[in-house]
Amino acid sequence: MKNQLYLWIMLAWALVGSAHAQTTEDSVTRKASWSVALEAANNSSFYGRNTVTKYPYAAATLTYAHNSGFWASTTTYQLFETVDYIDETDVSVGYSFPISKRLSANLSYSHFFFSENAPMVKSVTENAVTASTTLDWKYLYTSLNTSYFFGESSDVIVQFENSRYIGLNPIWNGRNPVGLDPKIGVTGGTQEFSETYTVERKKELDDWFEDVLKPGKDKEPETTTTTTTKHKFQVLSYDFYVPLVVMLGNFELEPTYRYSVPVNKLEGDESKAQSFFSVKASYTF
């Protein structure tokens, strides 16, 4: 675990070091802005982990970005296959800043609110602290995100992604920016969240059978012994994204295809490789 974690940290330092070697610090003129976004997807997942039952969802996000770099946002999720009107609400605050001409960073804190019967894998987490860096290598756009989740479970998750925007306007001499932004990502981390979710859902199912088959029977305290690698830092998933980005002034439309391959699953984890389709529309003013 230590050797793999050190590798991710070295990658972060490499990003910072390379950017300082290539460019000098540049001043950036910012403007305060508001943005609203609506998104819909055919299923939900959490760092490569998903449930057997598919949960298509719709989400709405409101974000305010101050010209100093501070920002705040809130997102609500409604899963189509549940009885709750709102299944999840995320509230986040953060600070983004340029380090150099090609390198930028962002620090943030998020708190998650879930409905009582929220079925998502993410529902066993409550808070997240995230530090991220993005670097434009000219031929590649690289990002490294490190998050610490804590609540019912406690995990460190690291995402390393490379992408490159490919403009399509020259093909038909279009005026509005249209392009593909393919991305390849690898996610590593611990997975106490996966075990916590699996154990909780199994207990709920066992309790249901107990109530139906043996109504009125007193339940004795249960002890569960597991030997897993939930605290070992491992690769969790490999992901491939193909977003189509369409910009019309302040309006942006982004349909996306993603294929995710979960690896190093814990016992009882029924996540599987699958395709995800989503579409997101946003407006900035």
Side-chain angles (χ1 to χ4, degrees):
M1 172 180 176
K2 290 184 177 179
N3 290 337
Q4 292 186 18
L5 188 56
Y6 289 157
L7 176 60
W8 290 102
I9 294 174
M10 289 174 65
L11 284 171
W13 280 108
L15 289 179
V16 176
S18 297
H20 279 294
Q22 294 177 29
T23 61
T24 58
E25 189 166 345
D26 202 27
S27 59
V28 176
T29 302
R30 301 169 182 260
K31 292 183 179 180
S33 65
W34 288 88
S35 67
V36 291
L38 297 175
E39 180 181 8
N42 71 324
N43 196 8
S44 59
S45 67
F46 186 61
Y47 293 111
R49 300 299 182 255
N50 49 69
T51 58
V52 175
T53 302
K54 290 188 176 182
Y55 290 102
Y57 68 87
T61 301
L62 175 65
T63 303
Y64 173 72
H66 191 261
N67 53 14
S68 64
F70 286 99
W71 58 268
S73 72
T74 180
T75 303
T76 58
Y77 296 86
Q78 204 283 319
L79 276 62
F80 297 153
E81 303 299 329
T82 61
V83 297
D84 295 310
Y85 184 71
I86 295 179
D87 295 277
E88 176 187 350
T89 299
D90 299 348
V91 177
S92 303
V93 292
Y95 177 64
S96 61
F97 55 96
I99 297 176
S100 65
K101 185 177 180 180
R102 295 183 181 178
L103 180 70
S104 61
N106 184 74
L107 303 173
S108 66
Y109 166 75
S110 300
H111 185 75
F112 315 121
F113 301 90
F114 298 95
S115 64
E116 184 177 356
N117 300 310
M120 304 92 76
V121 177
K122 183 182 176 182
S123 62
V124 297
T125 66
E126 295 176 5
N127 308 275
V129 177
T130 301
S132 62
T133 56
T134 57
L135 175 63
D136 189 345
W137 300 83
K138 187 177 180 180
Y139 296 105
L140 283 177
Y141 188 78
T142 300
S143 66
L144 183 67
N145 303 317
T146 302
S147 299
Y148 174 63
F149 290 88
F150 55 101
E152 288 187 57
S153 64
S154 178
D155 291 283
V156 174
I157 306 291
V158 179
Q159 287 181 297
F160 182 67
E161 299 175 332
N162 282 297
S163 64
R164 184 71 276 171
Y165 178 81
I166 303 172
L168 301 178
N169 299 65
I171 297 177
W172 60 81
N173 296 320
R175 294 183 178 182
N176 296 309
V178 177
L180 295 173
D181 193 19
K183 181 193 308 181
I184 296 177
V186 56
T187 299
T190 59
Q191 46 185 327
E192 183 177 339
F193 73 89
S194 181
E195 184 187 71
T196 302
Y197 176 85
T198 301
V199 170
E200 283 190 356
R201 290 304 179 267
K202 184 177 184 302
K203 284 183 177 179
E204 288 179 3
L205 186 60
D206 290 344
D207 289 343
W208 184 85
F209 279 113
E210 187 77 12
D211 292 338
V212 172
L213 299 177
K214 299 179 181 180
K217 181 179 179 180
D218 294 334
K219 297 179 181 178
E220 298 178 357
E222 296 182 0
T223 58
T224 302
T225 302
T226 57
T227 54
T228 67
T229 57
K230 64 179 182 179
H231 291 128
K232 183 178 181 180
F233 190 93
Q234 297 176 304
V235 174
L236 300 183
S237 69
Y238 299 97
D239 297 272
F240 177 65
Y241 306 76
V242 185
L244 174 65
V245 183
V246 181
M247 301 189 68
L248 301 171
N250 293 341
F251 176 79
E252 181 176 323
L253 181 66
E254 187 175 312
T256 301
Y257 168 77
R258 174 168 68 98
Y259 187 70
S260 180
V261 182
V263 295
N264 295 319
K265 297 182 295 182
L266 298 179
E267 182 180 355
D269 187 345
E270 298 178 314
S271 301
K272 61 180 181 179
Q274 60 181 284
S275 296
F276 296 84
F277 299 92
S278 65
V279 59
K280 181 179 181 180
S282 61
Y283 185 82
T284 302
F285 55 94

